[in-house]
Amino acid sequence: MVVLEGEHDLVDAPTLKDLLLSLLPEHELVVVDLSHAVFVDTSVVDALVQAKRSATEQGQAFRVEIGDRALVRRVLEIKGVLDLLAAEEDRPR
């Protein structure tokens, strides 16, 4: 599990993407926990989407846990990727 805390933006996105892509071949499931993140920008969301697509191509599982962070949820909604990335319990009903 990769846990992001605090704020994450364009500066962090390349490192996050590289980390996630490196974990995929080694694990059947990669989980990114955003429940402690205060803010993520669209570059971080793009890195998550790239990792999800790569996981799917490799037959691996990838999910994002967002917990009750309204701002993080909103960024995922605006980008149109909430259903693609969010764990089942974090998806809107």
Side-chain angles (χ1 to χ4, degrees):
M1 178 177 291
V2 176
V3 179
L4 299 183
E5 299 179 347
E7 297 182 2
H8 297 276
D9 57 21
L10 182 62
V11 173
D12 305 312
T15 303
L16 175 63
K17 183 181 84 172
D18 290 346
L19 171 64
L20 296 175
L21 294 178
S22 73
L23 291 173
L24 289 174
E26 302 170 10
H27 302 279
E28 291 181 20
L29 169 66
V30 173
V31 178
V32 179
D33 181 354
L34 298 178
S35 63
H36 301 286
V38 177
F39 172 79
V40 297
D41 76 358
T42 58
S43 63
V44 171
V45 174
D46 290 342
L48 296 171
V49 169
Q50 288 177 332
K52 170 65 174 180
R53 289 185 177 142
S54 187
T56 300
E57 289 170 2
Q58 296 176 37
Q60 305 294 79
F62 180 88
R63 75 170 189 253
V64 176
E65 296 178 357
I66 58 175
D68 62 358
R69 294 293 182 175
L71 183 58
V72 172
R73 175 183 298 276
R74 187 68 183 133
V75 171
L76 295 176
E77 288 173 340
I78 290 169
K79 286 285 289 183
V81 297
L82 182 61
D83 286 340
L84 173 70
L85 294 177
E88 185 68 35
E89 60 272 12
D90 288 332
R91 293 181 186 159
R93 311 249 188 266

